[in-house]
Amino acid sequence: LQTLDEVRRLERIMRKHYLQAQVRAFYPHMPSRTVKVEHDPKTVAAPDIVQLLQTLGLEEATVVVDGAVENLALPEIDIEAAMEGRGGMADSSAEGSTWIGGLHFNVILSGLCWFISILSIVEGWEDLQYAGIASVIFGIPPVAIKAWRTVRRRQIDANVMMVIAAFGALFLGEFDEAASVAFLFAVSEFLEARATAKARRALGAIVSLRPDHANLINRSTGETTIVPATSVPVGSHVSVRTGDKIPADGIVEEGTSTVDESSLTGESRPISKQPESVVSGGSINVGQTRLVIRTTSTVDDSAVSRLIRLVEEAQSNRSPTEKLVDSFAKRYTPIVLTAALFMCTIPWLWGVEVGRYWTLNGLIIVVISCPCALTISTPVTYAAGLAATAQRGIIVKGGARLEALGNVKKVVLDKTGTITEGNFDLIHLDVVGKSHDREQVLAFLALMEGPSSHPLSATLVNAAKKEGIIAPVDVSLTDHTILKGEGVTARVDNKNVYVGNERLFERLGLYSTLDDSQKRSARKWSTEGGTVGFIGIEGVGIIGMFCVSDKIRDEAKDVITGLKKDGYEVTMLTGDSDGAAKAVGRAVGLPVEAIHSHLMPEDKLHYIGSIRGMGATKQPVMCGSKELCLFIGDGVNDAPALAVADVGVAMGEGAALAMEMSDVTLMDSNLTKLTFSIEMGAKVIKTIRENIILSLVAKAVVVALTFVGKMTLLWAITSDVGIMLVVTLNGMKLLPGRDGVSLASERDATIRRKRGGRYKGVQTGPGPEDEVAENGKHSQDNLPEII
């Protein structure tokens, strides 16, 4: 397997020659030129599969590992339930036998009869028009059933309008026109289903990333047991072989390999992992070595589960434009039908010829006024935009947020963890006074910062460890409290200890106790771009001052420069000192007036509230204007500002609370994704505007031609289907390429969704890469195996 074409060829072979009960899924792994196949060894053995591949032109196919020989078994799944979903391996279902190229038999027959009826225009073949009756008989029943259900709900939709048009044409004796309505509308429904399914399937591929099983290692016996991924507790050890999904977030304890994180971050290049590296659930081991991972979260709390929850939320949130289009269709359709009713009835008072002419025009108005083009293309466009961003590691919570991204004018960035990486290094530590030495100051810092989750805290703890100093264990630490925008405090042996910034110690009245040289050092560190902090003890005063530096993200300057060049107003907010803020601002090309420092969380909240758009996020695309405010941050302190901004963007490596409060999440915290998401929002708005204008103009032209006597039902339904196809394809152009979707993802999702599936905790024997006890046996002989 060296090319994507070979992989697709393999997929076609598997689908054609095996039922789902024989081969339920397969996973190509191009780097190693292997494919993992899940099959039932009682119905088809591994050598049989290889023999088939060899006879069909894949002469080099061979068995690398035979699951039946190695005692490798997967959890049992209810195959019949799994076959209910589309995308499985089965090719013999009842539904599959009734479709040709995706079209149902009745539509094919309707089309043949329609074509025959069209031939009635040839002189001497007039009687062929009666084939149109057969075309209606074959094509209209499914539409009529949907129309009846709609009428029972006291509503009117496109199905009702097409049934009226078809039977009206039959009443007038225009059999070929009736056939045109029946057949071409059936084709339009097929195109609608295909377009909608493709857009939703692109998002569904993200949902299918959740791992379904894990190879749990018993550390005392060395045995490996295949268990449901959801049952893996925190602190467990799991084996992840080549091609396996990592079941949950964790830390590598054994092995050096490469991991594909593209499904989570959009980064196509595999990332090297070695012992102590952090890995995310849902990513795939694509290297040549097994990894042993100690889990740090459950599956439900892992990165992939957070991603899936965000995608599911995105699919349920509808934009103002979608709501407007649906509302317009509900009100506009009855009005059109009422007008058509008058056209089809009143003119008969002036004679048969006048009545036929206006009745035919009324039916044309019914057909061309169908709002299918708008009601189909609008949600498809949003789904395509959401899928395009999701597959690049950007999760947008619904069409409304995607639309808002396209109307952004002001971009506000937090400094720490957003413009900078949030990975600090301790570069200065000065002891203040003579009450404590350097080791004691570092010990106090480690003690105070250990319980905190701020990135700076981990830096101070690690700095102490590097000098061989750990937090003292013979002291009492109570009432540890985070002081938002200032630092932390706690009681140590019944004395209040504080670690924080200049603002905190000015409030405590301790900053003024520093001598002039110490204050000059603090200002110098700050001017150089460092973050300055102090540690003080109640009754003693400040005992130490330190400076940590944070590296600016490589892409930050280019992103900010690009945003400014494109006309966006870019601002930076930070709770850091003025000197540190200006140093970072200068480095990324921000002017002084665009830098705001010394801000508390509530100050950020008030600033965002003062510049955000007033209700603009609720306006549809035809009315919206570029005046919205986007705020991007990563920490708990940023959550209030993220919530109040028109568009809140969270960095994926930041706090979980920030991601929950935001509208958009950049899973890999790469700022270039911010530019992409804004551009995608603008493309979605542009595409929807194009579709609306094109649809309305085309319908206006057809209506005008109708009233001058130059339109027929055939051309009316043809133009309606054509416009629907054009605007839908225009929306689908935003979809990501096919290469971004896993070939097995649909089958994964199908199998995992079914309630009939059940797991049996199966112990596996020695695998090709796992170190398992010799007595490891699987307890179920009829389970699918892996080759």
Side-chain angles (χ1 to χ4, degrees):
L1 296 178
Q2 292 181 304
T3 67
L4 192 59
D5 287 340
E6 291 181 348
V7 172
R8 289 171 180 163
R9 180 185 175 194
L10 176 64
E11 181 181 25
R12 289 193 295 269
I13 292 173
M14 290 294 185
R15 286 182 178 275
K16 180 177 180 180
H17 293 275
Y18 295 114
L19 302 176
Q20 179 108 31
Q22 297 173 310
V23 176
R24 80 180 186 195
F26 64 95
Y27 306 88
H29 184 236
M30 293 176 64
S32 62
R33 300 183 64 189
T34 61
V35 58
K36 180 186 294 185
V37 180
E38 296 180 7
H39 67 105
D40 184 349
K42 287 195 170 183
T43 59
V44 56
D48 295 336
I49 297 175
V50 168
Q51 185 177 359
L52 172 66
L53 296 177
Q54 290 173 342
T55 59
L56 294 176
L58 298 175
E59 294 86 358
E60 297 182 2
T62 184
V63 178
V64 178
V65 177
D66 190 338
V69 176
E70 299 290 347
N71 291 330
L72 298 177
L74 283 177
E76 184 179 32
I77 287 178
D78 189 337
I79 298 298
E80 291 182 2
M83 286 173 62
E84 293 174 6
R86 299 183 69 176
M89 287 292 299
D91 60 352
S92 60
S93 65
E95 181 181 2
S97 64
T98 59
W99 289 75
I100 295 179
L103 284 174
H104 214 276
F105 268 132
N106 72 300
V107 180
I108 301 294
L109 294 175
S110 177
L112 291 174
C113 294
W114 168 74
F115 178 74
I116 294 172
S117 70
I118 293 296
L119 296 177
S120 64
I121 62 175
V122 179
E123 186 176 353
W125 291 11
E126 289 81 2
D127 289 344
L128 292 181
Q129 65 175 317
Y130 294 104
I133 299 176
S135 177
V136 174
I137 291 174
F138 286 122
I140 210 68
V143 180
I145 292 172
K146 296 177 184 177
W148 172 243
R149 291 171 181 167
T150 302
V151 171
R152 288 181 62 184
R153 296 195 302 267
R154 299 180 180 179
Q155 296 176 348
I156 299 174
D157 64 2
N159 295 294
V160 176
M161 299 171 77
M162 292 304 142
V163 170
I164 292 173
F167 281 103
L170 288 177
F171 172 76
L172 295 176
E174 302 287 346
F175 303 126
D176 55 341
E177 303 276 20
S180 300
V181 172
F183 171 63
L184 293 179
F185 184 71
V187 171
S188 75
E189 285 210 311
F190 161 72
L191 296 175
E192 171 193 350
R194 288 288 296 269
T196 304
K198 184 174 181 180
R200 295 298 178 188
R201 191 162 56 244
L203 281 174
I206 305 294
V207 178
S208 70
L209 296 174
R210 183 185 287 115
D212 55 2
H213 64 273
N215 302 315
L216 187 64
I217 300 174
N218 185 325
R219 299 296 283 183
S220 59
T221 65
E223 292 181 343
T224 299
T225 305
I226 298 178
V227 299
T230 53
S231 67
V232 176
V234 175
S236 302
H237 289 80
V238 293
S239 169
V240 182
R241 297 169 299 182
T242 296
D244 283 350
K245 288 181 183 176
I246 296 173
D249 297 349
I251 298 173
V252 177
E253 292 211 339
E254 296 179 21
T256 299
S257 189
T258 53
V259 172
D260 179 8
E261 298 180 344
S262 60
S263 55
L264 297 175
T265 66
E267 172 57 56
S268 59
R269 183 186 55 175
I271 307 300
S272 177
K273 301 292 182 180
Q274 51 274 333
E276 300 302 320
S277 293
V278 176
V279 292
S280 299
S283 53
I284 302 172
N285 180 9
V286 296
Q288 303 300 318
T289 307
R290 179 194 73 155
L291 296 175
V292 175
I293 294 170
R294 174 172 52 83
T295 61
T296 56
S297 74
T298 62
V299 169
D300 290 337
D301 293 329
S302 66
V304 69
S305 293
R306 292 196 300 271
L307 172 63
I308 291 169
R309 284 195 294 270
L310 293 175
V311 170
E312 290 171 341
E313 182 180 346
Q315 295 184 75
S316 64
N317 289 333
R318 302 174 73 233
S319 73
T321 303
E322 287 181 274
K323 295 175 183 177
L324 175 67
V325 168
D326 287 348
S327 176
F328 170 75
K330 288 179 181 178
R331 289 168 171 77
Y332 148 90
T333 304
I335 295 173
V336 170
L337 279 182
T338 302
L341 178 64
F342 287 128
M343 293 173 66
C344 294
T345 55
I346 295 176
W348 289 89
L349 297 174
W350 282 269
V352 175
E353 288 301 321
V354 175
R356 285 180 58 85
Y357 173 79
W358 282 102
T359 298
L360 189 58
N361 283 348
L363 296 178
I364 292 174
I365 294 298
V366 169
V367 169
I368 196 59
S369 59
C370 176
C372 291
L374 294 180
T375 57
I376 295 169
S377 66
T378 302
V380 165
T381 302
Y382 282 114
L386 292 172
T389 53
Q391 292 195 3
R392 286 166 176 79
I394 308 165
I395 305 303
V396 184
K397 294 182 181 177
R401 276 74 169 198
L402 190 60
E403 194 172 296
L405 278 167
N407 283 322
V408 164
K409 179 64 176 177
K410 312 175 190 75
V411 178
V412 182
L413 302 97
D414 179 52
K415 180 180 79 71
T416 304
T418 302
I419 294 178
T420 64
E421 294 181 351
N423 299 321
F424 294 91
D425 290 316
L426 180 64
I427 55 176
H428 295 291
L429 174 62
D430 289 356
V431 176
V432 177
K434 298 182 179 179
S435 59
H436 294 75
D437 58 23
R438 180 182 177 87
E439 288 75 14
Q440 290 173 320
V441 171
L442 279 172
F444 267 110
L445 286 173
L447 178 68
M448 292 291 294
E449 298 295 341
S452 178
S453 60
H454 193 281
L456 190 149
S457 302
T459 300
L460 295 174
V461 173
N462 290 333
K465 286 182 179 179
K466 287 179 181 178
E467 297 193 22
I469 298 169
I470 59 174
V473 296
D474 56 347
V475 298
S476 122
L477 177 72
T478 58
D479 298 333
H480 189 278
T481 306
I482 296 175
L483 304 173
K484 289 187 177 181
E486 294 183 329
V488 295
T489 182
R491 289 190 65 81
V492 179
D493 288 343
N494 295 320
K495 286 187 177 182
N496 289 327
V497 179
Y498 303 91
V499 179
N501 55 24
E502 181 180 333
R503 182 192 300 112
L504 170 61
F505 285 87
E506 282 185 343
R507 180 170 65 81
L508 297 173
L510 296 178
Y511 184 76
S512 59
T513 63
L514 295 174
D515 60 37
D516 291 341
S517 63
Q518 292 166 337
K519 291 178 180 178
R520 281 196 301 271
S521 295
R523 284 194 295 270
K524 180 174 178 294
W525 296 344
S526 178
T527 304
E528 293 171 349
T531 297
V532 180
F534 307 88
I535 179 171
I537 302 176
E538 179 185 15
V540 178
I542 296 176
I543 64 171
M545 51 190 289
F546 57 86
C547 175
V548 294
S549 66
D550 189 7
K551 184 177 181 291
I552 296 173
R553 295 184 184 274
D554 295 335
E555 73 277 9
K557 184 175 181 178
D558 290 339
V559 168
I560 291 173
T561 301
L563 289 171
K564 290 167 60 182
K565 185 177 180 181
D566 291 337
Y568 295 94
E569 300 173 13
V570 184
T571 307
M572 183 183 77
L573 307 182
T574 180
D576 214 336
S577 66
D578 186 62
K582 288 180 178 178
V584 172
R586 284 194 302 269
V588 297
L590 285 175
V592 174
E593 58 271 17
I595 301 169
H596 301 270
S597 57
H598 281 294
L599 298 180
M600 299 283 285
E602 54 267 30
D603 297 328
K604 295 180 182 179
L605 174 66
H606 294 152
Y607 179 83
I608 297 298
S610 68
I611 66 170
R612 70 189 183 102
M614 294 301 176
T617 56
K618 298 181 181 180
Q619 297 179 1
V621 295
M622 299 302 287
C623 308
S625 57
K626 291 180 73 71
E627 60 180 62
L628 301 188
C629 168
L630 178 150
F631 175 68
I632 177 169
D634 75 311
V636 173
N637 292 346
D638 299 323
L642 288 169
V644 77
D646 294 315
V647 183
V649 182
M651 306 294 273
E653 296 173 353
L657 178 61
M659 284 188 279
E660 292 294 329
M661 299 301 294
S662 67
D663 303 308
V664 182
T665 300
L666 310 182
M667 295 302 293
D668 65 348
S669 300
N670 190 321
L671 284 178
T672 58
K673 304 292 179 67
L674 174 64
T675 305
F676 178 86
S677 59
I678 293 175
E679 291 174 350
M680 180 56 67
K683 287 180 181 178
V684 166
I685 290 177
K686 179 183 177 184
T687 301
I688 291 175
R689 285 175 175 165
E690 291 172 349
N691 289 345
I692 291 174
I693 293 172
L694 181 60
S695 298
L696 295 179
V697 169
K699 291 181 183 296
V701 170
V702 174
V703 169
L705 292 174
T706 300
F707 285 107
V708 297
K710 302 295 184 181
M711 184 56 59
T712 66
L713 265 179
L714 170 60
W715 290 111
I717 186 66
T718 301
S719 65
D720 185 66
V721 173
I723 290 299
M724 187 275 290
L725 181 60
V726 168
V727 297
T728 301
L729 291 176
N730 191 37
M732 291 174 64
K733 72 185 180 184
L734 303 176
L735 279 173
R738 179 176 176 181
D739 295 354
V741 181
S742 168
L743 291 170
S745 61
E746 279 190 69
R747 288 185 292 280
D748 269 351
T750 299
I751 293 172
R752 184 170 49 253
R753 281 196 302 266
K754 303 309 170 184
R755 296 180 180 176
R758 62 186 184 275
Y759 286 90
K760 307 195 177 192
V762 183
Q763 289 186 338
T764 67
E769 294 167 283
D770 288 316
E771 299 173 25
V772 184
E774 293 181 0
N775 62 348
K777 301 289 183 181
H778 62 83
S779 59
Q780 302 293 329
D781 293 331
N782 61 340
L783 298 182
E785 59 172 324
I786 308 173
I787 67 167

